[in-house]
Amino acid sequence: MRTTLHTPHAFSTLRQAAACFALCLAAVSTAQAMTIREMRALEKTEKQGSTYTDYYLVGVMEGALEAHTQAVRAGATASICLNGRRLEPSMAKNLYTTELKRNADLYEADMPVQLVMVNALGTVYPCL
């Protein structure tokens, strides 16, 4: 049976998709970025804190790249260019820690981890 927009099943599916989208949008709009201080505390106090922060950094890196790509598609100037070089999830922690060490006097503990990651990506993968 071919489903059309007028069938009850299609309407139900669209309604579920809209509800899911609204829920995701609400969750994203209330999410807060983790600060450098919070991440350091998590890494030290939790039993698996180091593992949690490693995964968090991978997500931050991938999110920063996706946000950058979306901005470039919308007309912004590119500031991160991989140019065929590799960027793997296992590199996230090293990018972050290197950027913090390189510019230790620039970052305050209440700054978001995302800021550090975006700056790290822009430094390691500049657009020439």
Side-chain angles (χ1 to χ4, degrees):
M1 179 175 137
R2 188 172 145 202
T3 304
T4 65
L5 190 56
H6 301 289
T7 62
H9 175 66
F11 182 70
S12 175
T13 303
L14 287 173
R15 187 175 31 188
Q16 289 172 349
C20 181
F21 177 74
L23 181 63
C24 290
L25 185 60
V28 168
S29 66
T30 60
Q32 293 182 336
M34 187 182 300
T35 65
I36 297 167
R37 174 180 291 131
E38 291 168 335
M39 192 160 116
R40 286 177 180 156
L42 175 66
E43 195 168 29
K44 290 178 183 175
T45 59
E46 292 290 325
K47 183 177 180 180
Q48 294 180 333
S50 181
T51 303
Y52 295 152
T53 57
D54 289 350
Y55 281 112
Y56 182 76
L57 287 172
V58 171
V60 169
M61 181 180 73
E62 291 174 351
L65 287 172
E66 185 59 32
H68 179 265
T69 301
Q70 291 291 344
V72 170
R73 283 187 200 134
T77 304
S79 59
I80 301 169
C81 296
L82 298 179
N83 294 327
R85 293 181 290 164
R86 71 183 185 104
L87 178 61
E88 298 174 5
S90 61
M91 299 167 68
K93 178 86 172 193
N94 191 35
L95 282 169
Y96 175 79
T97 55
T98 302
E99 177 66 18
L100 277 180
K101 289 176 186 174
R102 184 182 307 130
N103 296 305
D105 57 334
L106 177 67
Y107 298 108
E108 297 177 11
D110 290 327
M111 291 181 166
V113 170
Q114 287 85 341
L115 175 66
V116 179
M117 185 60 75
V118 168
N119 289 342
L121 290 167
T123 299
V124 175
Y125 299 98
C127 297
L128 304 175

